[in-house]
Amino acid sequence: MRRLFPVTDMTASTASDQGADREWSLLELADAYAYPEGEELWLRANMVSSLDGAGQHEGRSQPLSSDADMRIFGTLRGLADVVVVGAETVRREGYRPARAREAFAARRAAAGQGPAPAVAVVTASLGLDLSAPLFTEPLVPTLVLTGAGAPSDRVAAARAAGVEVLFAGEGAAVDPARAAALLAERGLRRQLTEGGPRLLGQFTAAGVLDELCLTLSPTMTAGDAQRIAHGPSVEVPTRFGLASLLEQDGFLFSRYRRI
């Protein structure tokens, strides 16, 4: 297993650099964060947390982030087949469609991937703004994951707007394991969830989270913000092993895999 720690300032040194530090390129980060080969389904999460455990500040993750964090955010998207996100996060963060990135074009083509990942929105109520760019301007069609018991009028409205609605549960709610499997059946096996905390909590409780990419932000927020995973508790805590660690400007970028 390749280990990237200790690494200072997200830099690498090579003989040709004559010992000088340089910033890791996007392609080097892509190598470091590559999905494992041969897995029929791999679900990773990308989240940020403050030092005191907050997954958000005033309902959004952006205040905890940094330029380096956004580089890794973009890298993880550049590797994924699909970005799975909860409807509340879509609303709070003003989600837009994933875009094609020239830096990852050759890599995606070699892997048989499209120009950008699809976005799959998880929602029980389908309380979505279907006029938003996420649904009207996607490079790759946005998917909606809901339960078979979701409001039929909203399902019909979404389909009339050209959105593909997939049922991943018998009731109104989405079954996390079924959602992941359903996406994999469609060839979207390299999965990335960006939250929010309730969705990550559901994936964790269902035992389908394979990897956590966690940014530890050198900030304190106090308050009563949610942790990065919120919801039903697991009977026995799930163990993860540290796979890699990067640092820049006091931010720690860790990657853990389920043991």
Side-chain angles (χ1 to χ4, degrees):
M1 182 178 298
R2 183 183 183 192
R3 296 188 179 274
L4 306 178
F5 57 93
V7 176
T8 303
D9 295 332
M10 285 180 64
T11 57
S13 297
T14 66
S16 61
D17 294 328
Q18 297 182 337
D21 287 338
R22 60 180 177 79
E23 188 173 64
W24 284 65
S25 70
L26 290 177
L27 292 183
E28 286 173 321
L29 287 174
D31 286 339
Y33 282 90
Y35 280 82
E37 294 293 335
E39 297 288 344
E40 294 184 2
L41 189 165
W42 190 266
L43 174 62
R44 68 169 30 148
N46 182 33
M47 301 293 283
V48 61
S49 171
S50 69
L51 293 176
D52 53 339
Q56 303 166 336
H57 180 63
E58 296 184 348
R60 301 181 65 238
S61 60
Q62 190 278 330
L64 305 180
S65 186
S66 68
D67 289 344
D69 182 47
M70 293 310 298
R71 289 184 73 223
I72 290 181
F73 175 93
T75 298
L76 295 179
R77 281 196 164 196
L79 299 173
D81 294 326
V82 61
V83 177
V84 189
V85 62
E88 182 63 20
T89 297
V90 167
R91 290 187 287 265
R92 285 181 178 271
E93 303 280 355
Y95 258 59
R96 299 184 65 85
R99 59 189 178 91
R101 300 279 300 277
E102 182 61 32
F104 303 110
R107 189 184 192 105
R108 293 186 67 87
Q113 296 174 292
V119 175
V121 182
V122 177
T123 174
S125 68
L126 276 85
L128 303 168
D129 179 4
L130 299 174
S131 67
L134 180 61
F135 301 102
T136 61
E137 302 174 8
L139 183 62
V140 179
T142 297
L143 305 173
V144 167
L145 292 165
T146 191
S152 58
D153 58 333
R154 292 185 175 181
V155 171
R159 287 176 168 164
V163 177
E164 186 168 4
V165 180
L166 305 176
F167 294 127
E170 299 304 320
V174 170
D175 179 328
R178 179 62 186 137
L182 188 61
L183 293 171
E185 290 169 6
R186 298 173 64 84
L188 305 175
R189 65 177 185 83
R190 304 174 189 90
Q191 300 175 10
L192 169 67
T193 181
E194 297 169 351
R198 284 185 293 180
L199 182 60
L200 180 55
Q202 291 166 8
F203 279 130
T204 301
V208 294
L209 182 68
D210 297 298
E211 181 178 328
L212 173 64
C213 298
L214 176 64
T215 296
L216 184 61
S217 170
T219 55
M220 297 283 287
T221 69
D224 57 358
Q226 292 180 333
R227 298 179 301 161
I228 64 167
H230 178 77
S233 177
V234 296
E235 185 174 347
V236 178
T238 307
R239 287 292 304 275
F240 286 75
L242 182 64
S244 66
L245 184 64
L246 291 167
E247 184 274 343
Q248 180 170 320
D249 298 330
F251 284 78
L252 296 180
F253 305 95
S254 60
R255 186 166 58 95
Y256 288 87
R257 289 185 173 181
R258 185 173 56 182
I259 297 174

